[in-house]
Amino acid sequence: KLGLSFREVKEEDFFQIENILQESAQPGFDWKPFYPENIRFIIIKDHVCGFLLKNHIVIKHLFLKPYFQDQGLSREMVEAYLF
């Protein structure tokens, strides 16, 4: 078990979302239509490693910080923990 958990995104976290998008080479991606119900931080061992945008049954977009991009965190794996 990876110890994956999820946390809601609050208004004071918007800067962190924008930073992750910059680091993921996706600046300007319009994530706000997913806020607040369908956006979650992905947490591993108390560290934010990225965030996801979802609907009620699947993850639509997954954004990971560069360090975590090569750690085997696939959309399918994250969905298994989320749903």
Side-chain angles (χ1 to χ4, degrees):
K1 190 158 172 136
L2 282 177
L4 260 159
S5 61
F6 305 93
R7 180 172 67 80
E8 289 185 9
V9 173
K10 299 180 174 111
E11 260 189 76
E12 58 265 22
D13 300 318
F14 286 6
F15 75 97
Q16 198 169 2
I17 294 293
E18 294 297 337
N19 286 343
I20 293 169
L21 287 172
Q22 286 285 343
E23 293 173 351
S24 302
Q26 297 283 332
F29 185 90
D30 187 16
W31 56 270
K32 289 187 179 175
F34 291 88
Y35 178 80
E37 291 88 13
N38 294 313
I39 182 170
R40 297 285 182 274
F41 280 121
I42 304 164
I43 314 290
I44 297 178
K45 297 181 182 175
D46 298 323
H47 296 289
V48 172
C49 62
F51 71 95
L52 61 87
L53 304 173
K54 65 180 186 72
N55 65 19
H56 61 289
I57 56 171
V58 296
I59 293 173
K60 301 297 254 174
H61 303 281
L62 182 68
F63 299 95
L64 299 173
K65 291 182 174 182
Y67 175 81
F68 296 96
Q69 289 174 0
D70 297 325
Q71 302 295 317
L73 281 176
S74 67
R75 183 180 294 188
E76 293 79 14
M77 180 185 297
V78 175
E79 279 181 349
Y81 281 84
L82 183 65
F83 297 110

